[in-house]
């Protein structure tokens, strides 16, 4: 169950020639694949291109009508390896995944693909997850393209440019017998716009044709001496062919300007931000006409020497806008110009930051610096220091205005997340057995490194939690704890974390967080998902898989919210005399996906006038001691502080706010940690039955009667105390019986 459904939008994929397509960037990419006559697509989900996989899954009927094979791959290596079909056959294929982490995983397959070369067009669509929107290490795809000599396309972020880039990338791949990487930043993936559609194309050569007429060419297999031939082909044939195609089809774009003695070179993906910054500086209009000539690299690798020479001749300086580091393009351009004996000054990372995302503010500052250095007359306020300092002054004032008023919002588990009780149990065990080394993994459970849990020492990659603790298995020492999610388990963890531990007789403990989906990448189904899936094979138990590779000590907990049982199981795993890897499979459905699934059903029942019960938890303020261990041990966003209703007590009490989803963790933690009994559960009933109303009426009457007795007793005690105080005041020495 993916986090977003495209069932309604996929109808647009059937639009024909001349019709206007309006929609999101990811849908436009899918439409471009269909228009290009793609035969097969493989992919692994993950921001920022996770929705491309989701669109393809929802468009199953469209793909089937065109004879297109789509696979939701086990991991990025599997997705890239599927492109082997384009090596010997004129089949156009595409693979997609997040970069650079996905490209890291797929690098072996990509290197072999690039070495042998392709017959049909092979396109790798990578989501460049870089900058403030990234959830991974800050690296670039450019190095992979250079290393394996695949061509890297980076289109301007608008729908016509993106669609053209997809279509031309297939042609470029076939013209140069080289796979092509198409890079899309997160904003480009989700930009909205329109383009004129073309008819979808059925592959002229089908997958069945390939199976019925198999071809082989030993020279395409990466094995010496053929691999030496591949290297020569790259330099002597494929590269020149790619350069000719890029020039002839004008894949890169030039935009003239009246300030012809300077120029700006940019990655295509930087175009929108750069034009907006130029507009703010008064150097471009709202329609994108720039006063400074622009050279937009829709293909960032290979660079075209002749195009750079033409652009730079007669210019005293150019600025290269290249996001990320190292400055691959800047270094290459310096080499190109020196070889051509062109003395144009090349500016880049000296004007713009070496690292970090090039946001609008960063871009504006760099462009201002460049223009002020080489054409100050273009900036009316360039000579006024106060004006140039104005942005910094505004930023300082804005920061001062919000200081202490805006709370930090670190990443955390969702309300009701079934992973939260796992770490609450780990904290309870830590109280008894002391701290343990914790090897984390990629996924939601990585939030455990932050408060209130503060657990976790390292993380090394998706499915590598167990492998990350492999060296820390010493006889007689404490056992290390490792974590892996069900998504990471099926991605890589079964072999790298579990199988590796069995083979090497590791004595550590591995917790598999089984929440039913590949939750961190968008809620897609995995092999062990409990939900039935008409297109995928689900309901394959993780316990069966780990026993299959040799684990003997396995415990499956079907409800992670039982903190006491989770605590006891973890304690047993850490103290048992049994040697070898210990695996705890902690199961509970991802609450975010559960809410996506359940809420529409509840809404439908409500609208139909049917009975709906919602479980809520609360705290009795009269019972709460103000200790707040419940907050420290669960960290649930629904738990907060409220003023104490007792005027004689100063400590604030715990309060459960309306975002509570009724998971029960707060009460479970209170029970497992032997905390105060201040939590209560309430059932909120919509459209109650007559029986519900009767029970409510009886309960109200009984509680009211008991409450009135309590109130009367309190009044009696108060009156007696008051009378005693009066007697004390009336005594001659001021000391009475009440004292």
């Amino acid at each position: 169950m993916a986090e977003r459904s495209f069932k309604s939008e996929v109808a647009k994929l059937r639009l024909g020639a001349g019709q206007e397509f309006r929609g999101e960037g990811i849908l436009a990419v899918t439409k471009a694949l269909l228009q290009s006559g793609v035969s097969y697509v493989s992919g692994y989900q993950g921001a920022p291109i996770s929705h491309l996989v989701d669109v393809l899954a929802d468009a199953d009927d469209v793909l089937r009508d065109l004879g297109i094979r789509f696979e939701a791959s086990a991991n990025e290596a599997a997705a890239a390896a599927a492109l082997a079909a384009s090596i010997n056959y004129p089949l156009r294929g595409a693979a997609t995944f997040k970069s650079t982490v996905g490209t890291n995983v797929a690098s072996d397959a990509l290197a072999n693909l690039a070495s042998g070369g392709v017959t049909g067009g092979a396109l790798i669509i990578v989501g460049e997850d870089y900058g403030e929107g990234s959830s991974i290490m800050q690296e670039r795809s450019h190095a992979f393209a250079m290393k394996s000599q695949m061509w890297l396309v980076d289109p301007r972020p608008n729908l016509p440019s993106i669609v053209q880039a997809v279509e031309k990338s297939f042609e470029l791949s076939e013209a140069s017998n080289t796979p092509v990487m198409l890079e899309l930043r997160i904003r480009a993936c989700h930009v909205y716009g329109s383009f004129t559609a073309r008819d979808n194309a059925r592959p002229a050569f089908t997958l069945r044709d390939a199976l019925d007429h198999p071809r082989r060419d030993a020279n395409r297999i990466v094995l010496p001496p053929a691999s030496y031939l591949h290297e020569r082909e790259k330099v002597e044939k494929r590269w020149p062919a790619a350069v000719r195609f890029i020039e002839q089809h004008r894949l890169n774009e030039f935009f003239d300007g009246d300030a012809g003695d300077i120029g700006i070179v940019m990655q295509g993906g930087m175009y929108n931000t750069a034009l907006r910054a130029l507009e703010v500086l008064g150097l471009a209009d709202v329609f994108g006409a720039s006063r400074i000539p622009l050279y937009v690299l829709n293909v960032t690798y290979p660079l075209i020497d002749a195009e750079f020479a033409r652009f730079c001749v007669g210019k005293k300086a150019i600025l290269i806008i290249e996001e990320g580091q190292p400055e691959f393009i800047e270094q290459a351009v310096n080499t190109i110009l020196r070889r051509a004996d062109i003395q144009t000054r090349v500016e880049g990372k000296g004007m713009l930051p070496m690292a970090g995302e090039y946001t609008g503010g960063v871009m504006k500052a760099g462009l201002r610096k460049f223009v002020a250095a080489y054409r100050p007359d273009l900036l009316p306020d360039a000579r006024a220091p106060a004006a140039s300092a104005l942005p910094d002054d505004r930023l300082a004032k804005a920061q001062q205005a919000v200081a202490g008023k805006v709370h930090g919002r670190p990443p955390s588990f969702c309300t009701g997340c079934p992973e939260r009780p796992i770490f609450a149990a780990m904290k309870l065990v830590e109280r008894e057995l002391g701290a343990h080394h914790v090897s984390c993994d990629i996924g939601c459970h990585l939030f455990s490194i932050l408060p209130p849990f503060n657990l976790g020492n390292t993380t090394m990659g998706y499915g590598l939690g167990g492998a990350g603790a492999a060296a820390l298995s010493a006889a007689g020492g404490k056992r290390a704890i490792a974590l892996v999610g069900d998504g990471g388990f099926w991605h890589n963890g079964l072999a790298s974390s579990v199988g590796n531990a069995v083979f090497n007789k590791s004595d550590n403990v591995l917790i598999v967080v089984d929440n039913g989906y590949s939750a961190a990448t968008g809620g897609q189904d995995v092999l062990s998902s409990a939900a039935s899936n008409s297109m995928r094979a689900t309901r394959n138990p993780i316990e069966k898989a780990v026993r299959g590779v040799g684990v003997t000590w396995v415990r499956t907990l079907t409800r992670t919210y039982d903190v006491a049982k989770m605590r006891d199981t973890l304690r047993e795993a850490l103290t048992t005399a049994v040697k070898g890897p210990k695996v705890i499979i902690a199961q509970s459905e991802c609450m975010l996906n559960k809410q996506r699934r359940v809420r529409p059903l509840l809404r439908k029942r409500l609208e139909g006038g049917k009975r709906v019960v919602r479980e809520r938890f609360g705290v009795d303020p009269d019972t709460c001691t103000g200790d707040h261990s419940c907050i420290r041990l669960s960290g649930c966003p629904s738990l907060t502080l409220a003023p104490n209703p007792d005027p004689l007590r100063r400590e604030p009490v715990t309060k459960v706010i309306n975002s509570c989803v009724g998971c029960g963790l707060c009460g479970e933690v209170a029970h497992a940690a032997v905390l105060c009994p201040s939590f209560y559960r309430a059932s909120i009933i919509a459209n109650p039955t007559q029986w519900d109303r009767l029970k409510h009426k009886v309960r109200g009457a009984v509680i009211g009667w008991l409450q009135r007795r309590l109130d009367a007793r309190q009044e009696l005690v108060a009156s007696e105390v008051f009378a005693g105080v009066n007697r004390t005041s009336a005594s001659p020495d001021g000391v009475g019986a009440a004292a």
Side-chain angles (χ1 to χ4, degrees):
M1 180 183 176
E3 64 183 3
R4 180 178 168 190
S5 172
F6 290 87
K7 283 292 186 183
S8 59
E9 289 107 320
V10 294
K12 298 177 183 179
L13 299 177
R14 296 186 183 274
L15 292 176
Q19 293 181 286
E20 185 182 39
F21 183 103
R22 287 185 173 275
E24 194 177 353
I26 289 298
L27 281 161
V29 171
T30 311
K31 175 61 174 164
L33 290 172
L34 304 185
Q35 292 177 175
S36 300
V38 71
S39 295
Y40 64 96
V41 186
S42 57
Y44 189 79
Q45 65 274 357
I49 51 79
S50 60
H51 287 330
L52 179 53
V53 176
D54 297 337
V55 170
L56 290 163
D58 286 340
D60 181 64
D61 57 339
V62 181
L63 303 183
R64 192 167 52 249
D65 290 347
L66 292 168
I68 299 170
R69 166 76 176 177
F70 166 62
E71 277 204 2
S73 307
N75 53 41
E76 297 87 351
L83 292 172
S86 295
I87 293 176
N88 293 310
Y89 306 101
L91 295 168
R92 287 186 169 182
T96 182
F97 38 77
K98 175 170 73 172
S99 196
T100 57
V101 61
T103 313
N104 290 335
V105 175
S107 60
D108 194 8
L110 293 176
N112 278 276
L113 183 73
S115 184
V118 295
T119 301
L123 179 63
I124 304 104
I125 303 169
V126 295
E128 191 74 351
D129 200 358
Y130 183 84
E132 66 181 13
S134 173
S135 60
I136 59 165
M137 70 291 292
Q138 297 296 281
E139 293 185 355
R140 298 170 57 192
S141 303
H142 201 104
F144 283 92
M146 294 172 62
K147 172 189 73 68
S148 297
Q149 298 215 335
M150 299 177 288
W151 317 139
L152 182 60
V153 177
D154 187 359
R156 288 196 291 147
N158 60 69
L159 263 56
S161 295
I162 292 172
V163 170
Q164 182 186 23
V166 172
E167 296 175 345
K168 289 297 181 182
S169 291
F170 280 115
E171 297 178 24
L172 171 60
S173 176
E174 291 166 345
S176 59
N177 302 118
T178 303
V180 173
M181 297 180 73
L182 174 66
E183 175 181 84
L184 292 174
R185 291 165 179 79
I186 193 165
R187 290 178 180 84
C189 290
H190 304 299
V191 69
Y192 276 77
S194 65
F195 65 94
T196 302
R198 297 193 300 111
D199 288 334
N200 296 333
R202 294 183 65 86
F205 186 88
T206 68
L207 296 171
R208 185 162 182 173
D209 291 334
L211 291 170
D212 291 342
H213 305 285
R215 302 176 187 175
R216 66 181 300 273
D217 180 355
N219 287 329
R220 296 302 100 209
I221 299 174
V222 186
L223 182 72
S227 54
Y228 309 137
L229 173 65
H230 299 165
E231 187 180 26
R232 289 189 60 184
E233 280 184 0
K234 287 180 178 180
V235 176
E236 297 176 0
K237 295 181 180 179
R238 302 182 201 172
W239 188 310
V243 169
R244 285 194 300 272
F245 185 92
I246 294 165
E247 283 189 294
Q248 291 172 2
H249 292 266
R250 300 180 181 179
L251 299 189
N252 296 321
E253 297 175 277
F254 295 89
F255 298 92
D256 292 330
D258 59 85
D261 58 338
I262 59 174
I264 300 174
V265 180
M266 69 186 72
Q267 297 164 298
M270 293 285 96
Y271 179 83
N272 288 5
T273 308
L275 261 292
R276 174 58 179 157
L278 287 169
E279 180 197 344
V280 172
L281 292 171
L283 298 173
D285 61 26
V286 294
F287 301 103
S290 170
R291 294 193 62 189
I292 302 174
L294 308 176
Y295 177 24
V296 180
L297 299 174
N298 292 316
V299 181
T300 53
Y301 186 80
L303 300 177
I304 311 303
D305 294 21
E307 290 184 353
F308 269 98
R310 287 198 306 272
F311 184 73
C312 293
V313 166
K315 291 181 173 60
K316 56 186 176 183
I318 61 169
L319 174 68
I320 296 179
I321 299 175
E322 178 183 8
E323 187 176 51
Q325 53 82 31
E327 65 274 48
F328 297 118
I329 298 174
E330 185 179 345
Q331 293 177 25
V333 171
N334 271 296
T335 300
I336 291 170
L337 297 186
R338 297 298 82 80
R339 284 176 177 171
D341 198 23
I342 297 173
Q343 302 308 311
T344 301
R345 174 80 177 177
V346 177
E347 299 285 3
K349 296 300 184 182
M351 299 287 182
L352 289 157
M354 173 63 79
E357 184 176 8
Y358 284 179
T359 60
V362 170
M363 192 81 77
K364 177 185 171 184
L367 287 168
R368 176 188 286 277
K369 189 175 180 180
F370 172 70
V371 177
Y374 294 99
R375 282 294 303 271
D377 56 297
L378 297 177
L379 297 172
D381 60 348
R383 294 184 180 85
S388 62
L390 188 60
D392 293 333
D393 292 343
R394 287 176 178 171
L395 179 61
K397 289 179 180 178
Q399 290 173 337
Q400 185 177 6
V402 301
K405 298 178 182 178
V406 178
H407 295 286
R409 297 186 65 185
S412 183
F413 297 102
C414 299
T415 300
C417 176
E419 301 184 13
R420 196 185 301 276
I422 298 171
F423 302 106
M426 289 176 67
K427 295 298 288 186
L428 294 175
V429 171
E430 189 178 78
R431 291 180 177 181
E432 301 177 40
L433 305 180
H436 288 72
H437 179 91
V438 179
S439 177
C440 299
D441 207 286
I442 303 299
C444 301
H445 43 276
L446 190 54
F447 293 144
S448 63
I449 67 171
L450 302 172
F453 302 113
N454 301 305
L455 293 166
N457 300 74
T458 57
T459 179
M460 297 304 294
Y462 205 26
L464 297 176
L472 300 170
S473 183
K478 281 186 178 181
R479 289 167 176 157
I481 302 172
L483 291 150
V484 63
D486 48 351
F489 176 86
W490 293 114
H491 176 277
N492 190 21
L494 180 58
S496 298
S497 284
V498 182
N500 183 69
V502 172
F503 185 70
N504 289 289
K505 297 184 177 181
S506 168
D507 197 34
N508 292 334
V509 177
L510 176 67
I511 301 174
V512 181
V513 183
D514 182 6
N515 57 28
Y517 308 94
S518 185
T521 61
Q524 293 82 6
D525 284 330
V526 292
L527 275 162
S528 53
S529 293
S532 59
N533 189 314
S534 60
M535 297 186 296
R536 307 284 178 258
T538 54
R539 300 180 179 178
N540 295 283
I542 291 176
E543 180 172 344
K544 187 175 180 180
V546 298
R547 289 191 183 279
V549 296
V551 179
T552 57
W553 196 102
V554 186
R555 302 289 186 272
T556 297
L557 282 72
T558 57
R559 185 176 176 271
T560 62
Y561 297 104
D562 189 340
V563 178
K565 189 172 183 180
M566 186 74 219
R567 175 203 59 198
D568 295 343
T569 305
L570 182 57
R571 185 199 299 117
E572 181 190 354
L574 291 169
T575 58
T576 180
V578 176
K579 300 300 181 182
K582 270 70 66 176
V583 176
I584 300 172
I585 302 166
Q587 297 178 330
S588 273
E589 184 179 8
C590 167
M591 183 57 72
L592 195 60
N593 263 47
K594 181 178 179 180
Q595 293 301 314
R596 291 193 188 107
R597 177 174 59 80
V598 170
R599 280 179 177 170
L601 301 176
L602 295 180
R603 192 181 306 115
K604 189 175 181 180
R605 289 181 62 85
L606 280 171
E607 292 170 353
K610 296 181 179 180
R611 180 178 184 270
V612 173
V613 181
R614 180 188 173 198
E615 299 290 346
R616 281 287 309 277
F617 282 77
V619 174
D620 180 0
D622 294 325
T623 310
C624 179
T625 64
D627 175 70
H628 308 307
S629 292
C630 51
I631 294 177
R632 295 195 300 272
L633 283 172
S634 77
C636 178
S638 291
L639 292 177
T640 186
L641 301 179
N644 199 312
D646 188 340
L648 300 180
R649 294 167 59 196
R650 301 177 58 185
E651 302 85 0
V653 296
T654 300
K655 178 183 177 181
V656 181
I657 61 177
N658 198 45
S659 60
C660 173
V661 295
C663 70
L665 172 60
C666 48
E668 291 282 355
V669 166
H671 170 70
V674 196
L675 303 177
C676 64
S678 58
F679 284 94
Y680 64 84
R681 183 177 68 183
S683 297
I684 302 172
I685 303 175
N687 301 322
T689 64
Q690 291 297 325
W691 176 240
D692 291 324
R693 295 180 188 277
L694 178 60
K695 287 192 294 183
H696 178 68
K697 188 175 180 179
V698 172
R699 286 169 179 162
V702 174
I703 293 172
W705 178 70
L706 293 173
Q707 188 66 51
R708 286 191 295 273
R709 288 188 62 194
L710 179 61
D711 292 342
R713 184 177 179 183
Q714 288 177 339
E715 288 177 7
L716 177 61
V717 172
S719 63
E720 291 176 350
V721 171
F722 182 72
V725 171
N726 285 341
R727 287 195 298 273
T728 301
S729 301
S731 62
D733 57 359
V735 179

